[in-house]
């Protein structure tokens, strides 16, 4: 029995041992798995922590980005406002609390160096009362060399970089009432010097590198706008000066014109009264000469008759001259009423050629006209225009040698008719052409010593044409002839 019991017990023990061993093995296996699991858990924990850290950082970056975008937006708006300003003070006034807040600051100051006064003048103060602003201004001016150096070297300063020699940090904070700040130089091309200060009391949001960049952009913008303002000021000033000069000149010219008008009127009055005074005795002289020449008072010896005829001829010339002079002065002073009517140009020219027929024939001068159909009707005063043609054709006749040619052409453009009186005569020297229409002007040459004249004909014609709203000019070449052209309105 015992061996069976022993065998059974041994078997049980073996089975139990085997089972224990197996369980131990399982336990070992499980322990390994738990360790692996623990390791994974730890890893996961690390990763979760990393994710959280990244998330916080991302949020921070997002916040910073948002701040930067808001700052950029504010900067852009502020730049636009500054850009549209052309007055020194106004430029700084645009930097108000609203924009500063958007940029993340509550305090700002701006100073410009005034060379004449040798000090910095305050142009902007935001976030300070008057007393504090004044205290800061005085302090800045006691340290003017430091600031001038900063500006001239284009350096930016911040609360962190301000040297102890400037003021100890606590004093600086006390003076500017800020925790951190930036000072950016403003240096213009025109030589203006200054700086802009921005600061914040907020310990949580001290000024960053990004803020420094923003304020640098702003100070550059201010410098540019200041340049524009100076340029505008200069242009405006010179325009004012120019306007003043123009005004002064206009005043002088108006005065001179008035004087010329007065003188011209005096001259016309003088000519007109002298002409009248001369006409009366001349009429008597002509009258007496005519009576004597009629021999009603007794017959005349030949030499006396010759002299009387001379008196008569010269008197006629004088009367002619006086009449021309009187006409010039009357047209000049607007006393002659031009009776404008529609006239047939061809008919007028034919009439004048007829009048001069004998002289034209004597000199064997060929003549003619070419008046196109659309230039037939002119708007003019008949008697005055006849005088124009008589004078021009008489001149052409006088200054054209035997067997020459005289032609009248017309052309019409935009209801203006241009008439050219062309001769193949001696021509007029170039230097004389500009004086032809002046009163009493006669070309100084041998021809004129033989040909009689007063030098009043062309002056009178010019007045008549201008009184018709037209103009007259001459083209001529010595030895080749002359063309006198004038314009009239088409009827
Ligand atoms: P006048 O003929 O009485 O001298 P005008 O005023 O008519 O006065 O002319 C001024 C001058 O212009 C003339 O003296 C003459 O020298 C010059 N002149 C005018 N018409 C002609 C012409 N067709 N050809 C050459 N010279 C001319």
């Amino acid at each position: 029995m015992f061996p069976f019991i022993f065998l059974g017990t041994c078997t049980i023990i073996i089975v139990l041992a085997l089972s224990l061993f197996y369980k131990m093995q399982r336990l070992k296996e499980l322990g390994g798995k738990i360790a692996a699991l623990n390791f994974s858990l730890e890893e996961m924990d690390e990763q979760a922590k990393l994710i959280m850290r990244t998330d916080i950082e991302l949020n921070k970056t997002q916040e910073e980005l948002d701040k930067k975008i808001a700052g950029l937006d504010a900067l852009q708006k502020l730049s636009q406002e500054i850009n549209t300003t052309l007055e020194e003070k106004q430029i700084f006034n645009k930097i108000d609390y609203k924009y500063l807040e958007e940029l993340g600051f509550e305090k700002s100051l701006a100073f410009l160096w005034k060379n004449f006064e040798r000090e910095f003048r305050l142009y902007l103060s935001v976030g300070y009362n008057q007393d504090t602003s004044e205290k800061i201004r005085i302090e800045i001016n006691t340290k003017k060399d430091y600031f001038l150096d900063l500006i001239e070297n284009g350096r930016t300063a911040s609360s962190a970089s301000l040297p102890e020699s400037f003021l100890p940090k606590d004093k600086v904070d006390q003076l500017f009432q800020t925790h951190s700040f930036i000072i950016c130089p403003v240096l213009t091309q025109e030589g203006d010097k200054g700086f802009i200060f921005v600061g914040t009391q907020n310990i949580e949001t001290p000024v960053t590198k990004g803020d420094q960049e923003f304020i640098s952009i702003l100070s550059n913008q201010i410098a540019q706008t200041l340049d524009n303002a100076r340029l505008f000021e200069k242009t405006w000033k010179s325009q004012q000066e120019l306007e003043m000069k123009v005004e002064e000149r206009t005043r002088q010219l108006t005065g001179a014109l008035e004087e010329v008008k007065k003188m011209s009127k005096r001259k016309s009055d003088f000519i007109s009264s002298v002409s009248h005074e001369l006409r009366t005795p001349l009429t008597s002289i002509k009258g007496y000469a005519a009576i004597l020449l009629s021999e009603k008072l007794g017959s005349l010896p030949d030499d006396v008759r010759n002299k009387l005829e001379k008196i008569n001829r010269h008197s006629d010339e004088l009367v002619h001259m006086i009449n021309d002079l009187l006409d010039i002065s009357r047209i000049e002073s607007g006393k002659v009423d031009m009776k404008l009517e529609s006239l047939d140009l061809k008919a007028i020219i034919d009439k004048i050629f007829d009048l001069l027929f004998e002289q034209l024939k004597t000199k064997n001068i060929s003549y003619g006209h070419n008046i196109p159909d659309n230039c037939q009707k002119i708007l003019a005063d008949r008697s005055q225009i006849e005088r124009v043609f008589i004078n021009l054709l008489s001149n052409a006749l006088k200054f054209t040698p035997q067997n020459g040619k005289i032609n009248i052409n017309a052309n019409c453009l935009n209801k203006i008719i241009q008439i050219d009186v062309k001769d193949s005569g001696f021509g007029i020297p170039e230097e004389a052409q500009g004086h032809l229409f002046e009163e009493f002007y006669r070309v100084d040459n041998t021809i004129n010593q033989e040909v009689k004249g007063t030098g009043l004909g062309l002056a009178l014609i010019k007045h008549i044409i201008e009184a018709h709203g037209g103009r007259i000019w001459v083209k001529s070449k010595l030895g080749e002839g002359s063309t006198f052209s004038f314009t009239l309105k088409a009827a």
Side-chain angles (χ1 to χ4, degrees):
M1 195 55 184
F2 178 74
F4 281 112
I5 293 168
F6 177 72
L7 207 68
T9 310
C10 279
T11 313
I12 288 166
I13 288 169
I14 288 167
V15 169
L16 279 173
L18 275 172
S19 145
L20 198 68
F21 178 74
Y22 175 73
K23 277 193 180 156
M24 291 270 285
Q25 277 299 115
R26 285 283 294 162
L27 263 175
K28 211 174 164 188
E29 256 174 45
L30 275 172
K33 276 189 182 162
I34 285 169
L37 219 69
N38 259 345
F39 184 71
S40 314
L41 269 175
E42 266 169 32
E43 255 189 0
M44 272 169 76
D45 190 41
E46 273 305 305
Q47 272 179 2
K49 276 184 193 154
L50 193 75
I51 288 170
M52 270 174 69
R53 265 205 311 276
T54 318
D55 188 47
I56 291 168
E57 265 169 28
L58 264 173
N59 274 344
K60 220 169 122 194
T61 318
Q62 178 71 45
E63 254 173 45
E64 268 171 24
L65 256 172
D66 284 348
K67 199 180 146 198
K68 266 203 170 168
I69 290 170
L72 265 174
D73 193 43
L75 194 68
Q76 194 213 354
K77 280 189 213 144
L78 184 55
S79 294
Q80 263 172 8
E81 287 232 16
I82 289 176
N83 246 339
T84 53
T85 318
L86 284 171
E87 213 259 303
E88 202 180 64
K89 274 238 176 248
Q90 291 292 325
I91 296 171
F92 293 101
N93 282 350
K94 298 283 174 191
I95 309 170
D96 60 9
Y97 190 79
K98 178 184 77 182
Y99 287 121
L100 278 176
E101 205 186 13
E102 281 180 54
L103 284 165
F105 305 101
E106 320 89 58
K107 301 202 179 279
S108 183
L109 296 158
F111 288 91
L112 279 187
W113 175 252
K114 292 286 135 183
N115 229 350
F116 189 64
E117 296 147 23
R118 311 274 328 139
E119 66 169 24
F120 281 103
R121 199 189 288 171
L122 183 67
Y123 272 75
L124 164 80
S125 168
V126 177
Y128 297 103
N129 63 25
Q130 217 171 347
D131 279 356
T132 319
S133 305
E134 182 57 12
K135 250 190 229 160
I136 297 174
R137 190 191 69 78
I138 293 168
E139 193 60 44
I140 294 285
N141 276 305
T142 56
K143 308 269 186 296
K144 55 188 170 203
D145 289 339
Y146 169 79
F147 286 101
L148 282 174
D149 181 66
L150 204 74
I151 298 161
E152 274 153 18
N153 291 304
R155 276 190 289 121
T156 305
S158 69
S159 37
S161 71
L162 216 58
E164 278 284 309
S165 57
F166 180 81
L167 268 183
K169 169 95 172 90
D170 55 334
K171 287 263 169 63
V172 171
D173 288 351
Q174 214 180 326
L175 177 69
F176 291 121
Q177 299 174 353
T178 50
H179 170 66
S180 60
F181 60 79
I182 311 161
I183 294 172
C184 261
V186 173
L187 190 62
T188 73
Q189 286 185 356
E190 293 282 310
D192 287 290
K193 291 173 205 164
F195 63 88
I196 170 155
F197 164 102
V198 288
T200 177
Q201 285 169 309
N202 197 335
I203 303 173
E204 313 239 307
T205 55
V207 289
T208 61
K209 238 181 150 347
D211 292 332
Q212 278 198 18
E213 279 165 20
F214 279 176
I215 304 307
S216 290
I217 294 172
L218 180 64
S219 62
N220 280 341
Q221 182 74 55
I222 292 173
Q224 260 178 32
T225 314
L226 273 172
D227 268 335
N228 289 348
R230 297 276 177 267
L231 214 71
F232 174 76
E233 214 173 293
K234 265 191 204 164
T235 321
W236 192 76
K237 255 192 203 147
S238 51
Q239 189 196 329
Q240 290 292 99
E241 276 168 20
L242 208 76
E243 266 173 26
M244 263 162 65
K245 271 187 196 159
V246 169
E247 246 172 55
E248 175 63 24
R249 263 272 189 272
T250 315
R251 244 198 322 274
Q252 284 173 353
L253 282 174
T254 318
L257 192 72
E258 283 302 312
E259 202 49 40
V260 168
K261 271 188 193 161
K262 264 189 224 158
M263 274 165 65
S264 165
K265 187 173 177 319
R266 252 182 260 148
K267 185 194 83 178
S268 295
D269 289 350
F270 172 76
I271 290 176
S272 138
S273 63
V274 168
S275 309
H276 276 297
E277 292 304 316
L278 283 174
R279 239 183 3 189
T280 323
L282 256 177
T283 319
S284 314
I285 293 169
K286 257 186 75 70
Y288 288 128
I291 292 168
L292 289 172
L293 276 170
S294 70
E295 294 189 326
K296 279 180 190 155
L297 301 175
S299 57
L300 300 169
D302 280 351
D303 59 334
V304 176
R305 168 174 286 281
N306 279 344
K307 286 193 175 111
L308 273 174
E309 272 166 356
K310 250 188 186 168
I311 290 175
N312 211 13
R313 241 189 354 265
H314 286 308
S315 304
D316 278 342
E317 279 165 16
L318 266 175
V319 169
H320 190 76
M321 184 172 159
I322 287 166
N323 283 343
D324 276 356
L325 263 177
L326 261 175
D327 285 339
I328 289 176
S329 82
R330 272 169 40 215
I331 295 173
E332 229 178 15
S333 57
K335 280 182 194 153
V336 177
D337 246 357
M338 297 290 162
K339 290 182 205 78
L340 299 185
E341 55 183 317
S342 172
L343 302 172
D344 190 302
L345 186 57
K346 257 188 206 164
I348 292 178
I349 296 170
D350 284 336
K351 181 179 168 187
I352 310 301
F353 273 138
D354 276 352
L355 271 174
L356 300 171
F357 178 73
E358 282 304 323
Q359 287 137 284
L360 289 161
K361 209 172 103 186
T362 317
K363 284 181 101 173
N364 193 30
I365 285 175
S366 63
Y367 61 93
H369 56 62
N370 177 22
I371 316 289
D373 286 346
N374 63 337
C375 307
Q376 295 283 338
K377 297 282 176 195
I378 53 167
L379 193 65
D381 181 299
R382 180 182 293 280
S383 67
Q384 301 295 349
I385 278 315
E386 282 182 359
R387 288 176 86 177
V388 169
F389 279 108
I390 289 178
N391 276 340
L392 285 178
L393 288 173
S394 307
N395 277 350
L397 228 158
K398 273 197 286 186
F399 299 105
T400 301
Q402 290 273 341
N403 309 321
K405 266 195 282 181
I406 298 176
N407 253 87
I408 299 182
N409 298 318
N411 62 74
C412 183
L413 189 74
N414 297 333
K415 290 248 157 208
I416 300 288
I417 298 180
Q418 179 181 324
I419 300 155
D420 304 319
V421 179
K422 186 175 161 62
D423 64 55
S424 61
F426 305 115
I428 303 157
E430 217 179 304
E431 63 278 10
Q433 289 174 23
H435 301 285
L436 286 188
F437 300 98
E438 290 167 11
E439 285 147 31
F440 297 109
Y441 184 83
R442 303 195 73 221
V443 179
D444 188 12
N445 56 16
T446 44
I447 308 151
N448 257 350
Q449 279 159 18
E450 290 160 23
V451 180
K452 281 198 177 148
T454 57
L456 285 173
L458 287 176
L460 178 65
I461 290 174
K462 186 171 185 276
H463 278 99
I464 295 174
I465 295 296
E466 283 174 359
H468 277 80
R471 56 186 199 94
I472 182 163
W473 65 98
V474 64
K475 274 188 185 153
S476 180
K477 217 166 187 190
L478 263 185
E480 288 182 20
S482 313
T483 303
F484 283 85
S485 305
F486 60 94
T487 56
L488 286 173
K489 284 178 192 135

